[in-house]
Amino acid sequence: MTYIVTDNCIRCKYTDCVEVCPVDCFYEGENMLVIHPDECIDCGVCEPECPADAIKPDTEPGLDKWLKINTEYAEKWPNITIKRDPMPDADSYDGKPGKYEELFSTEPGEGD
């Protein structure tokens, strides 16, 4: 098992999770974060830190797509280990359906 970031992170990008991760396995895209599944040690400390409830164990049904997305973009995006402010309009996007199809960006973020 590993933890992965799902679509509710898109356009929220809260980074509370990155500062508690003991192995620095978060990677930053332009408008969301991902977890590198091969680096995650399954400790679970990040999951309750996410205000958007976007971090899930990959054992939950229906998350195969998100495991692939996390794996792919963790290889392309820069590592992030420090907490930053969320996206300016994060609260208005928290819980919005269809964010992947409408808003997902393949562009990298800043990283550390």
Side-chain angles (χ1 to χ4, degrees):
M1 182 184 85
T2 188
Y3 284 85
I4 54 175
V5 181
T6 61
D7 60 338
N8 207 41
C9 184
I10 299 170
R11 288 294 298 262
C12 290
K13 200 164 82 168
Y14 296 105
T15 56
D16 305 61
C17 53
V18 302
E19 70 177 358
V20 298
C21 180
V23 294
D24 300 334
C25 65
F26 281 88
Y27 293 81
E28 182 184 17
E30 178 180 35
N31 67 4
M32 78 172 288
L33 304 174
V34 294
I35 293 172
H36 195 305
D38 294 336
E39 295 174 3
C40 176
I41 60 170
D42 312 328
C43 68
V45 297
C46 59
E47 185 180 21
E49 295 299 318
C50 180
D53 195 30
I55 299 173
K56 304 289 182 189
D58 72 340
T59 53
E60 283 192 16
L63 295 180
D64 292 342
K65 165 185 167 178
W66 287 102
L67 178 59
K68 289 177 186 172
I69 289 168
N70 277 249
T71 303
E72 178 180 351
Y73 289 98
E75 294 292 331
K76 297 177 180 179
W77 291 346
N79 187 243
I80 180 170
T81 62
I82 56 172
K83 182 178 176 180
R84 291 203 198 106
D85 291 336
M87 299 196 78
D89 51 0
D91 290 342
S92 65
Y93 283 95
D94 188 359
K96 180 179 177 176
K99 291 200 295 185
Y100 178 74
E101 294 76 16
E102 184 182 336
L103 302 167
F104 177 74
S105 171
T106 60
E107 295 299 313
E110 296 175 39
D112 285 349

